[in-house]
Each structure stands twice: as structure tokens, then as C-alpha cells.
Coordinates of all heavy atoms in Angstrom, one line a residue:
P1 N 10.4 -13.0 8.8 CA 11.1 -12.2 7.8 C 10.5 -10.8 7.8 O 9.4 -10.6 7.4 CB 10.9 -12.9 6.5 CG 9.7 -13.8 6.8 CD 9.6 -14.1 8.2
P2 N 11.2 -9.8 8.3 CA 10.7 -8.4 8.4 C 10.2 -7.8 7.1 O 9.1 -7.1 7.1 CB 11.8 -7.6 9.0 CG 12.9 -8.5 9.4 CD 12.6 -9.8 8.7
Q3 N 10.9 -8.0 6.0 CA 10.5 -7.4 4.8 C 9.2 -7.9 4.3 O 8.3 -7.2 3.9 CB 11.6 -7.6 3.7 CG 11.3 -6.8 2.4 CD 11.2 -5.3 2.6 OE1 11.9 -4.7 3.4 NE2 10.3 -4.7 1.9
R4 N 9.0 -9.2 4.4 CA 7.7 -9.8 4.0 C 6.5 -9.3 4.8 O 5.4 -9.0 4.4 CB 7.7 -11.3 4.0 CG 8.5 -11.9 2.9 CD 8.2 -13.4 2.9 NE 9.4 -14.0 2.3 CZ 9.7 -15.3 2.5 NH1 9.0 -16.0 3.2 NH2 10.8 -15.8 1.9
G5 N 6.8 -9.2 6.1 CA 5.8 -8.7 7.0 C 5.4 -7.3 6.7 O 4.2 -6.9 6.8
R6 N 6.4 -6.5 6.4 CA 6.2 -5.0 6.2 C 5.3 -4.9 4.9 O 4.4 -4.1 4.8 CB 7.5 -4.4 6.0 CG 7.4 -2.9 5.7 CD 8.8 -2.3 5.6 NE 8.7 -0.9 5.2 CZ 9.6 -0.3 4.6 NH1 10.7 -0.9 4.2 NH2 9.5 1.0 4.2
T7 N 5.7 -5.6 3.8 CA 5.0 -5.6 2.6 C 3.6 -6.1 2.8 O 2.6 -5.4 2.2 CB 5.7 -6.5 1.5 OG1 7.0 -6.0 1.4 CG2 5.0 -6.4 0.2
S8 N 3.4 -7.1 3.5 CA 2.0 -7.7 3.8 C 1.2 -6.6 4.5 O 0.0 -6.4 4.2 CB 2.1 -8.9 4.5 OG 2.7 -9.9 3.8
A9 N 1.8 -6.0 5.5 CA 1.1 -5.0 6.3 C 0.6 -3.8 5.4 O -0.5 -3.3 5.5 CB 1.9 -4.5 7.4
I10 N 1.5 -3.4 4.5 CA 1.2 -2.2 3.7 C 0.1 -2.6 2.7 O -0.8 -1.8 2.4 CB 2.4 -1.7 2.9 CG1 3.4 -1.1 4.0 CG2 2.1 -0.7 1.9 CD1 4.8 -0.8 3.4
R11 N 0.2 -3.8 2.1 CA -0.9 -4.2 1.2 C -2.2 -4.4 1.9 O -3.2 -4.0 1.3 CB -0.5 -5.6 0.6 CG 0.6 -5.4 -0.5 CD 0.9 -6.7 -1.2 NE 1.8 -6.4 -2.3 CZ 2.6 -7.3 -2.8 NH1 2.5 -8.6 -2.4 NH2 3.5 -7.0 -3.7
Q12 N -2.2 -4.8 3.1 CA -3.5 -4.9 3.9 C -4.0 -3.5 4.1 O -5.2 -3.2 4.0 CB -3.3 -5.6 5.2 CG -4.5 -5.8 6.0 CD -5.6 -6.7 5.2 OE1 -5.2 -7.6 4.5 NE2 -6.8 -6.3 5.3
L13 N -3.2 -2.5 4.4 CA -3.6 -1.1 4.6 C -4.2 -0.5 3.4 O -5.3 0.1 3.5 CB -2.4 -0.3 5.1 CG -2.0 -0.5 6.6 CD1 -0.7 0.3 6.8 CD2 -3.1 0.0 7.5
V14 N -3.6 -0.7 2.2 CA -4.1 -0.2 1.0 C -5.5 -0.8 0.6 O -6.2 -0.3 -0.3 CB -3.1 -0.1 -0.2 CG1 -1.9 0.8 0.2 CG2 -2.7 -1.4 -0.6
L15 N -5.8 -2.0 1.1 CA -7.1 -2.5 0.8 C -8.1 -1.9 1.7 O -9.3 -2.0 1.4 CB -7.0 -4.1 1.1 CG -6.2 -4.9 0.1 CD1 -6.2 -6.4 0.5 CD2 -6.8 -4.8 -1.3
Q16 N -7.7 -1.4 2.8 CA -8.7 -0.8 3.8 C -8.9 0.7 3.7 O -9.9 1.2 4.2 CB -8.2 -1.1 5.2 CG -8.2 -2.6 5.5 CD -7.6 -2.9 6.9 OE1 -7.3 -2.0 7.6 NE2 -7.5 -4.1 7.2
A17 N -8.0 1.4 3.0 CA -8.1 2.8 2.9 C -7.5 3.2 1.5 O -6.7 2.4 0.9 CB -7.3 3.5 4.0
P18 N -7.8 4.4 1.0 CA -7.3 4.8 -0.3 C -5.7 4.9 -0.3 O -5.1 5.4 0.7 CB -7.9 6.2 -0.5 CG -9.1 6.2 0.4 CD -8.7 5.3 1.6
A19 N -5.1 4.5 -1.4 CA -3.7 4.5 -1.5 C -3.1 5.9 -1.2 O -2.1 6.0 -0.5 CB -3.3 4.1 -2.9
P20 N -3.6 7.0 -1.7 CA -3.0 8.3 -1.4 C -3.0 8.6 0.2 O -2.0 9.2 0.6 CB -3.9 9.3 -2.1 CG -4.5 8.6 -3.2 CD -4.7 7.2 -2.6
V21 N -4.0 8.2 0.9 CA -4.0 8.4 2.3 C -2.9 7.6 3.0 O -2.2 8.1 3.9 CB -5.4 8.0 2.9 CG1 -5.4 8.1 4.4 CG2 -6.5 8.9 2.3
I22 N -2.8 6.3 2.6 CA -1.8 5.5 3.2 C -0.4 6.0 2.8 O 0.5 6.0 3.6 CB -1.9 4.0 2.7 CG1 -3.3 3.5 3.1 CG2 -0.8 3.1 3.2 CD1 -3.5 3.4 4.6
A23 N -0.2 6.4 1.6 CA 1.1 6.9 1.1 C 1.5 8.1 2.0 O 2.6 8.2 2.4 CB 1.0 7.3 -0.4
K24 N 0.6 9.1 2.2 CA 0.9 10.3 2.9 C 1.2 9.9 4.4 O 2.1 10.4 5.0 CB -0.3 11.3 2.8 CG 0.1 12.6 3.5 CD -1.0 13.6 3.2 CE -0.7 14.9 3.8 NZ -1.7 15.9 3.6
A25 N 0.4 9.0 5.0 CA 0.6 8.7 6.4 C 2.0 8.0 6.6 O 2.6 8.1 7.7 CB -0.5 7.8 6.8
L26 N 2.4 7.1 5.6 CA 3.6 6.4 5.8 C 4.8 6.9 5.1 O 5.9 6.3 5.2 CB 3.4 4.9 5.4 CG 2.3 4.2 6.1 CD1 2.1 2.7 5.5 CD2 2.6 4.1 7.6
G27 N 4.7 8.0 4.4 CA 5.8 8.6 3.7 C 6.2 7.9 2.4 O 7.3 8.0 1.9
Y28 N 5.2 7.2 1.8 CA 5.4 6.5 0.5 C 5.1 7.5 -0.6 O 4.2 8.4 -0.4 CB 4.6 5.3 0.4 CG 5.2 4.1 1.1 CD1 5.0 4.0 2.5 CD2 5.8 3.1 0.4 CE1 5.6 2.9 3.1 CE2 6.4 2.0 1.0 CZ 6.2 1.9 2.4 OH 6.8 0.8 3.1
H29 N 5.6 7.2 -1.8 CA 5.2 8.0 -3.0 C 3.8 7.5 -3.4 O 3.5 6.3 -3.3 CB 6.2 7.8 -4.1 CG 6.0 8.7 -5.2 ND1 5.1 8.5 -6.2 CD2 6.6 9.9 -5.5 CE1 5.1 9.5 -7.1 NE2 6.0 10.4 -6.7
D30 N 3.0 8.4 -3.9 CA 1.6 8.0 -4.3 C 1.6 6.8 -5.4 O 0.8 5.9 -5.3 CB 0.9 9.2 -5.0 CG 0.4 10.2 -4.0 OD1 0.4 9.9 -2.7 OD2 0.1 11.3 -4.3
K31 N 2.6 6.9 -6.3 CA 2.7 5.8 -7.3 C 3.0 4.5 -6.7 O 2.5 3.4 -7.2 CB 3.7 6.2 -8.4 CG 3.2 7.3 -9.3 CD 4.2 7.6 -10.4 CE 3.7 8.8 -11.2 NZ 4.5 9.1 -12.4
T32 N 3.8 4.5 -5.7 CA 4.2 3.2 -5.0 C 2.9 2.6 -4.3 O 2.7 1.4 -4.5 CB 5.3 3.4 -4.0 OG1 6.4 4.0 -4.6 CG2 5.7 2.1 -3.3
A33 N 2.2 3.5 -3.6 CA 1.0 3.0 -2.9 C -0.1 2.5 -3.9 O -0.7 1.5 -3.7 CB 0.5 4.1 -2.0
T34 N -0.2 3.2 -5.1 CA -1.2 2.9 -6.1 C -0.8 1.5 -6.7 O -1.6 0.7 -6.9 CB -1.2 3.9 -7.2 OG1 -1.6 5.2 -6.6 CG2 -2.2 3.5 -8.3
R35 N 0.5 1.3 -6.9 CA 1.0 0.0 -7.4 C 0.7 -1.1 -6.4 O 0.2 -2.2 -6.8 CB 2.5 0.0 -7.7 CG 3.1 -1.3 -8.2 CD 4.5 -1.2 -8.5 NE 5.3 -0.7 -7.4 CZ 5.7 -1.4 -6.3 NH1 5.4 -2.6 -6.2 NH2 6.5 -0.8 -5.4
L36 N 0.9 -0.9 -5.2 CA 0.6 -1.9 -4.1 C -0.9 -2.2 -4.1 O -1.2 -3.4 -3.9 CB 1.1 -1.4 -2.8 CG 2.6 -1.4 -2.6 CD1 3.0 -0.7 -1.3 CD2 3.2 -2.8 -2.6
V37 N -1.7 -1.2 -4.2 CA -3.2 -1.5 -4.1 C -3.6 -2.3 -5.4 O -4.5 -3.2 -5.3 CB -4.0 -0.2 -4.0 CG1 -4.1 0.6 -5.2 CG2 -5.4 -0.6 -3.5
T38 N -3.0 -2.0 -6.5 CA -3.3 -2.8 -7.7 C -2.8 -4.2 -7.6 O -3.6 -5.2 -7.9 CB -2.6 -2.1 -9.0 OG1 -3.1 -0.8 -9.1 CG2 -2.9 -2.9 -10.2
E39 N -1.6 -4.4 -7.1 CA -1.1 -5.8 -6.8 C -2.0 -6.6 -5.8 O -2.2 -7.8 -6.0 CB 0.3 -5.7 -6.3 CG 1.3 -5.3 -7.4 CD 2.7 -5.1 -6.8 OE1 2.9 -5.3 -5.6 OE2 3.6 -4.7 -7.5
A40 N -2.5 -5.8 -4.8 CA -3.3 -6.5 -3.8 C -4.7 -6.7 -4.2 O -5.5 -7.3 -3.5 CB -3.2 -5.6 -2.5
G41 N -5.1 -6.2 -5.4 CA -6.5 -6.3 -5.9 C -7.5 -5.4 -5.2 O -8.6 -5.7 -5.1
G42 N -7.0 -4.2 -4.8 CA -7.9 -3.3 -4.2 C -8.8 -2.6 -5.1 O -8.7 -2.6 -6.3
T43 N -9.8 -1.9 -4.6 CA -10.9 -1.3 -5.4 C -11.0 0.2 -5.1 O -12.0 0.8 -5.3 CB -12.2 -1.9 -5.1 OG1 -12.5 -1.8 -3.7 CG2 -12.2 -3.4 -5.5
W44 N -9.9 0.9 -4.7 CA -10.0 2.3 -4.4 C -9.6 3.1 -5.6 O -9.1 4.2 -5.5 CB -9.0 2.7 -3.2 CG -9.5 2.2 -1.9 CD1 -9.1 1.1 -1.2 CD2 -10.5 2.9 -1.1 NE1 -9.8 1.1 0.0 CE2 -10.6 2.1 0.1 CE3 -11.2 4.1 -1.2 CZ2 -11.5 2.5 1.1 CZ3 -12.1 4.4 -0.2 CH2 -12.2 3.6 1.0
S45 N -9.9 2.7 -6.8 CA -9.5 3.4 -8.0 C -10.2 4.7 -8.3 O -9.7 5.5 -9.0 CB -9.6 2.4 -9.2 OG -11.0 2.1 -9.4

């Protein structure tokens, strides 16, 4: 299922790097990336 894989990949990325960096690199809005890092339990706050 491509959508689940995409979401999982993005969540993994935001756990490894700051959300603003991932957002800029992938063309996401900062708030979307921040929400994903929160959902994934990230610590880049």
C-alpha cells in the first residue's frame, strides 16, 4: 500500500532529523512535519 509506506517513511525521517529540515527538503509545510514528529514520538522539539 503506497500511502502507508509513504507515511511510514516520512515519520521515520522526522525521527532522524528536525521536522523543519525534512519539511523543506520534501516540500511539506512546517506544521505538517511538526505534527508527524509529534505523532511519531520524536524529540526534536
Side-chain angles (χ1 to χ4, degrees):
Q3 186 61 37
R4 283 190 208 158
R6 180 177 176 210
T7 303
S8 296
I10 294 167
R11 284 186 177 160
Q12 185 61 40
L13 284 173
V14 296
L15 289 175
Q16 297 175 2
V21 173
I22 299 301
K24 186 173 183 178
L26 299 178
Y28 279 79
H29 192 276
D30 286 347
K31 288 184 181 182
T32 302
T34 302
R35 180 179 49 82
L36 289 171
V37 76
T38 302
E39 290 173 3
T43 58
W44 286 100
S45 62

